[in-house]
């Protein structure tokens, strides 16, 4: 009964991927990173999307920006309009103009760069008409008002409380226009109550699913691409009529990112 809708994604090959600084608890610069393996794993993700019929566009990676592979953070794009990120950390600040330039030269007229810290789809997830917005670690809560004004969509503020789940897309996945999956302990009590109220039928992830970044997933309405270690979540998704597709992005997890982080959805005006 579930139907897939073709998606338009932007990705960035992890040519210069590395962990040389630490801006979240997953990043340990002392641990070795295999960049070639990261590229191979990322290519598999890209192939999964293409095999599912999605369009994948590529932005050129920039030497010296090891986190640029996490394209989700570059912007939020809805109705063909782009709100470009403003990163919290100095190490990532230069990614924003790169994403802005790409969007500008690829049909997104006049991308707007956020005025206050806003880490793009890392913290902004569209579910139907609602824009769920995370704060607590990265995006400034004032960016939620800025996004609501820019997109003219109701923004629901959610507060993250566990530093391991520092972006909204590490603790919540959008499965279709009405359905989400999330990990309640990552949210403040009030935000948990908001999520229960809005999404009483949500899929609830286990601790084990969350630890392997199972919620850092993308969905086309039917096929849910997620880290392969999230086996409880995959089973729950199957029960609900979704088709989970597991991928291994273990190298990228060393930077605190996985499937969704690598994927920026470009939503056209239609
Ligand atoms: N190392 C990156 C950072 O800390 C990972 C970003 C992950 N992206 C995401 N959408 N959650 O900013």
């Amino acid at each position: 009964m579930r139907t897939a809708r073709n998606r338009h994604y932007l990705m960035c090959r992890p040519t210069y991927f590395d962990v040389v600084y630490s801006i979240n608890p997953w990043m340990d610069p002392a641990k070795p990173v295999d960049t070639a393996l990261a590229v191979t794993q990322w290519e598999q993700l890209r192939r999964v999307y293409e095999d599912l019929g999605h369009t994948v566009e590529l932005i050129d990676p920039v030497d010296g920006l090891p986190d640029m592979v996490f394209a989700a953070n570059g912007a939020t794009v809805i109705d063909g309009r782009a709100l470009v990120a403003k990163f919290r950390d100095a190490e990532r600040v230069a990614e924003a103009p790169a994403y802005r330039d790409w969007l500008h030269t690829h049909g997104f007229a006049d991308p707007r760069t956020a005025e206050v810290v806003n880490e793009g789809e890392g913290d902004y997830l569209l579910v139907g008409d609602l824009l769920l917005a995370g704060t607590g670690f990265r995006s400034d809560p004032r960016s939620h008002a800025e996004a609501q004004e820019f997109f003219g969509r109701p923004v629901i503020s959610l507060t993250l409380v566990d530093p391991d789940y520092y972006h909204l897309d590490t603790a919540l996945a959008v499965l279709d226009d009405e359905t989400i999956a999330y990990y309640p302990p990552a949210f403040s009590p009030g935000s948990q109550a908001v999520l229960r109220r809005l999404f009483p039928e949500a899929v609830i992830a286990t601790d084990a699913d969350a630890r392997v970044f199972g919620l850092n997933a993308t969905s086309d309405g039917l096929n849910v691409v997620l880290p392969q270690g999230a086996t409880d979540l995959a089973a729950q998704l199957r029960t609900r009529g979704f088709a989970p597709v597991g991928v291994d992005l273990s190298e990228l997890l060393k930077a605190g990112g996985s499937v969704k982080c690598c994927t920026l959805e470009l939503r056209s005006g239609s």
Side-chain angles (χ1 to χ4, degrees):
M1 271 175 343
R2 301 202 178 273
T3 45
R5 189 161 49 74
N6 285 347
R7 306 291 162 141
H8 188 183
Y9 291 141
L10 178 61
M11 298 179 72
C12 179
R13 186 179 277 105
T15 312
Y16 305 108
F17 176 68
D18 204 348
V19 177
V20 292
Y21 51 79
S22 181
I23 55 173
N24 71 56
W26 302 83
M27 301 176 84
D28 179 359
K31 258 202 216 158
V33 168
D34 183 339
T35 302
L37 179 56
V39 172
T40 303
Q41 293 177 338
W42 177 94
E43 287 289 359
Q44 272 157 10
L45 174 63
R46 178 188 172 192
R47 197 162 319 121
V48 163
Y49 286 148
E50 289 178 343
D51 289 348
L52 290 172
H54 303 316
T55 302
V56 178
E57 296 207 61
L58 300 178
I59 179 173
D60 286 335
V62 175
D63 195 0
L65 296 177
D67 273 336
M68 196 172 163
V69 58
F70 301 118
N73 297 127
T76 305
V77 184
I78 303 172
D79 301 325
R81 302 182 66 225
L83 183 58
V84 177
K86 177 175 166 129
F87 286 89
R88 181 195 71 170
D89 296 288
E91 293 89 343
R92 297 197 68 184
V93 161
E95 293 179 40
Y99 280 96
R100 192 207 167 276
D101 291 350
W102 190 92
L103 290 161
H104 184 63
T105 51
H106 290 78
F108 297 88
D110 206 17
R112 166 95 64 90
T113 297
E115 268 164 37
V116 287
V117 170
N118 171 330
E119 297 203 348
E121 281 212 323
D123 276 324
Y124 284 93
L125 296 173
L126 188 69
V127 195
D129 285 331
L130 294 181
L131 189 53
L132 304 183
T135 187
F137 298 100
R138 299 294 184 84
S139 298
D140 188 310
R142 290 170 300 165
S143 76
H144 297 178
E146 185 180 9
Q148 176 164 288
E149 203 55 39
F150 182 74
F151 291 117
R153 300 259 183 166
V155 169
I156 306 290
S157 277
L158 299 167
T159 301
L160 296 161
V161 294
D162 180 340
D164 283 345
Y165 306 106
Y166 57 94
H167 274 144
L168 183 63
D169 71 357
T170 66
L172 189 151
V174 177
L175 303 173
D176 65 20
D177 285 351
E178 288 103 53
T179 318
I180 64 165
Y182 70 104
Y183 179 57
F187 295 90
S188 69
S191 295
Q192 290 182 34
V194 168
L195 289 170
R196 277 196 303 273
R197 197 179 282 273
L198 287 175
F199 304 102
E201 308 292 329
V203 174
I204 302 297
T206 62
D207 293 354
D209 293 328
R211 282 308 301 168
V212 295
F213 260 44
L215 292 162
N216 199 244
T218 56
S219 174
D220 61 15
L222 168 64
N223 304 289
V224 181
V225 183
L226 79 173
Q228 63 181 15
T231 48
D232 294 339
L233 183 57
Q236 287 204 70
L237 292 171
R238 245 177 248 117
T239 310
R240 299 283 198 105
F242 292 99
V245 182
V247 293
D248 179 8
L249 291 179
S250 58
E251 283 310 298
L252 295 170
L253 190 55
K254 293 177 178 171
S258 193
V259 173
K260 171 60 202 166
C261 300
C262 292
T263 314
L264 175 62
E265 185 164 356
L266 304 172
R267 299 180 189 80
S268 65
S270 60

